[in-house]
Amino acid sequence: MIYLDNAATTRLDAEVINEMGRVMNNYFGNPSSIHQQGRESRVIIEEGRKKIAGYIGVMPAEIVFTSGGTEALNIAISQAIQKYGIKNIISSRIEHPAVLNTLKYFTEKGLVNPIFVRLKEKGIIDIENLESLLKTNANALVCLMHANNETGNLLPIKETGQLCRQHNAMFLSDMVQTLCKYENNIPNFNLDFIACSAHKFHGPKGCGFLYINKNLEASPMVHGGGQERNIRSGTENIYGIAGMAKAFEVAHRDMQKNIGYISGLKAYMIEQLKNNFPEIEFNGDCENSGLYTILNVSFPETVKTKMLIQKLDIAGISVSGGSACHSAKEAMSYVLRETGTPINRTSVRFSFSKFNSKKDLDICIETLLNLLTGNK
Ligand SMILES: Cc1ncc(COP(=O)(O)O)c(C=O)c1O
């Protein structure tokens, strides 16, 4: 089996499994209990928080553990609306459903006015348009993802943060696809909130965090025993947090090696696809730039491209047609539609990790040749 769907989720790292096993075997106390077992569990959580905070240059108190990216994004948007009275939210039509559906919910309740920034060719965020929207919409929240999960398009996050500061806007970035892929020093970006999800970088599923800038006060979003600065109550996921902290450590230790290796895989795949399929096109900005783990391509639609994702699956190759939510459907994803992919093309997203090899890619190309041209 060849797994090329690492933007959907990644395999757990062996070091992460070991660390989670160690914590599971040795710690069971409730971190809120004052006795020894409780205190030991509390140490695991606070050490994890400190470690993660250190890698992204923030204070431990700025990290609120959540069940993942979706929850972090929901809380950040709710916080901006309910605590800060934000009405104007400037976002894009290619955000993750965790953002778009939260915005839809609050819009239907009449609480926010969503404004969508213009996209340039290839789905690139039009920063000049963002600037003019910021000029005409006071007290806004800007909600833009750092890397798009379907195309890998990258936002110039530093420039966006500076614009937000100049115009007194709050800034939330969904950094689910870029944390642990680059050295991200959060204070450089003038961010108020970021969302993180551990399963995108070989950590456990169901665990992530919301970063909330220390200058912001936050009110309870999940009500209960007051855990996580009384923003998100509930007994903490100690095993998930320990695993996420280990995944951060491994990713940052091996970052330069992984960037070089995975970028090499992507470049090789581009070359092989171009050599073997002259009619291939690249969706979004992924051919020459973009996140090094994502490559989204399209083939001209023919009888042979029908159910291509499923045929690849049967041949033992896991890819997706867009995000995980869209991978089982033939319909074009909303992100690719907004990005300008012609309707009469069949798209495939390949997404890579350190666990892939050139051999995986060779087998994938051979299988594609077999399926699409019958030449192999
Ligand atoms: C860009 C992006 N944002 C948010 C999410 C949601 O994260 P989670 O699966 O942790 O809820 C995902 C993952 O599907 C994603 O790719």
Side-chain angles (χ1 to χ4, degrees), residues 150-166:
E150 295 198 33
T151 60
N153 279 10
L154 283 167
L155 177 77
I157 193 165
K158 199 169 173 183
E159 192 184 340
T160 307
Q162 279 162 356
L163 277 180
C164 291
R165 169 163 291 178
Q166 273 164 28

Side-chain angles (χ1 to χ4, degrees), residues 341-361:
T341 306
I343 206 150
N344 56 349
R345 298 192 60 95
T346 300
S347 292
V348 180
R349 179 187 70 182
F350 304 101
S351 48
F352 316 106
S353 84
K354 61 182 179 180
F355 293 128
N356 291 121
S357 65
K358 270 193 178 167
K359 177 134 187 280
D360 291 347
L361 306 184

Side-chain angles (χ1 to χ4, degrees), residues 7-8 67-71 73 96 98 145 147-149 174 176-177 196-200 206-207:
S67 64
T70 300
E71 186 188 337
L73 291 163
H96 190 272
M145 67 208 312
N148 185 273
N149 50 302
D174 172 351
V176 164
Q177 292 289 343
C196 171
S197 174
H199 72 98
K200 306 290 183 176
C207 188

Side-chain angles (χ1 to χ4, degrees), residues 67-331:
S67 64
T70 300
E71 186 188 337
L73 291 163
N74 269 262
I75 294 182
I77 294 171
S78 305
Q79 201 68 242
I81 295 168
Q82 290 169 14
K83 177 83 185 169
Y84 287 91
I86 296 278
K87 290 230 159 12
N88 297 323
I89 301 191
I90 304 175
S91 189
S92 83
R93 293 197 189 276
I94 54 172
E95 297 299 304
H96 190 272
V99 166
L100 292 178
N101 286 331
T102 307
L103 292 184
K104 185 163 175 263
Y105 171 81
F106 284 114
T107 305
E108 283 168 4
K109 288 207 161 306
L111 292 173
V112 302
N113 166 34
I115 303 149
F116 294 102
V117 67
R118 207 162 44 215
L119 299 176
K120 298 202 287 197
E121 217 188 321
K122 294 181 178 290
I124 294 168
I125 301 287
D126 185 336
I127 295 291
E128 282 165 18
N129 180 238
L130 174 65
E131 187 167 13
S132 59
L133 292 174
L134 281 167
K135 280 182 186 152
T136 47
N137 294 282
N139 303 324
L141 167 72
V142 169
C143 177
L144 292 171
M145 67 208 312
H146 191 192
N148 185 273
N149 50 302
E150 295 198 33
T151 60
N153 279 10
L154 283 167
L155 177 77
I157 193 165
K158 199 169 173 183
E159 192 184 340
T160 307
Q162 279 162 356
L163 277 180
C164 291
R165 169 163 291 178
Q166 273 164 28
H167 295 278
N168 220 5
M170 296 181 101
F171 183 21
L172 156 64
S173 190
D174 172 351
M175 295 186 74
V176 164
Q177 292 289 343
T178 51
L179 285 166
C180 290
K181 308 272 173 53
Y182 299 103
E183 301 277 357
N184 288 298
N185 188 44
I186 300 305
N188 285 343
F189 304 150
N190 188 42
L191 281 151
D192 293 288
F193 307 100
I194 69 171
C196 171
S197 174
H199 72 98
K200 306 290 183 176
F201 47 89
H202 309 289
K205 292 170 186 41
C207 188
F209 67 80
L210 166 67
Y211 156 85
I212 305 184
N213 188 296
K214 56 182 174 303
N215 299 324
L216 296 177
E217 271 177 41
S219 47
M221 284 292 147
V222 178
H223 304 270
Q227 292 92 339
E228 295 302 297
R229 280 171 52 205
N230 199 24
I231 295 165
R232 196 265 191 186
S233 285
T235 303
E236 297 89 338
N237 176 2
I238 167 171
Y239 310 117
I241 292 166
M244 175 161 62
K246 180 54 85 174
F248 253 86
E249 180 191 319
V250 173
H252 285 77
R253 182 190 67 203
D254 300 340
M255 176 127 0
Q256 290 315 316
K257 186 174 85 186
N258 289 340
I259 292 179
Y261 178 70
I262 301 169
S263 304
L265 289 179
K266 178 173 163 178
Y268 181 72
M269 190 67 169
I270 291 173
E271 183 193 307
Q272 291 302 310
L273 285 167
K274 279 177 156 174
N275 289 346
N276 288 287
F277 305 95
E279 290 175 300
I280 196 127
E281 282 176 14
F282 296 90
N283 295 325
D285 197 23
C286 65
E287 185 186 357
N288 301 311
S289 55
L291 183 59
Y292 59 91
T293 52
I294 295 183
L295 183 62
N296 198 322
V297 305
S298 76
F299 301 94
E301 199 168 61
T302 65
V303 165
K304 290 187 170 171
T305 60
K306 278 223 166 315
M307 311 280 284
L308 182 58
I309 310 290
Q310 288 80 352
K311 287 177 191 161
L312 283 167
D313 181 28
I314 291 165
I317 296 172
S318 305
V319 296
S320 115
S323 68
C325 328
H326 289 89
S327 45
K329 298 181 195 163
E330 279 275 82

